[in-house]
Amino acid sequence: MQIPTTTNKVSMHPVELVQEKKEEILRISAAHGARNVRVFGSVARNEASDASDTLSYPY
């Protein structure tokens, strides 16, 4: 995995990013007591653009 820097930005569509990182997101969330993590907004609706934020709501 490449680390983004000021001269070398890695671009990944937000939906792809969430799909790729799903297990890591769930593991980290569980380690902090979150049991039901949800993604919402344009990413959840699969309408995200490359400029969209990725939002989640762990509880």
Side-chain angles (χ1 to χ4, degrees):
M1 181 173 138
Q2 273 186 307
I3 305 295
T5 65
T6 55
T7 58
N8 180 26
K9 289 191 175 185
V10 175
S11 178
M12 183 178 285
H13 193 275
V15 173
E16 292 171 344
L17 181 62
V18 169
Q19 290 171 342
E20 179 180 299
K21 300 290 184 180
K22 179 180 177 178
E23 294 304 317
E24 185 177 1
I25 292 166
L26 294 175
R27 179 182 55 78
I28 292 168
S29 297
H32 291 276
R35 297 173 309 192
N36 193 1
V37 178
R38 300 291 180 200
V39 175
F40 60 94
S42 61
V43 173
R45 294 187 307 270
N46 201 20
E47 298 172 356
S49 70
D50 289 337
S52 296
D53 290 342
T54 302
L55 305 171
S56 62
Y57 182 73
Y59 60 94

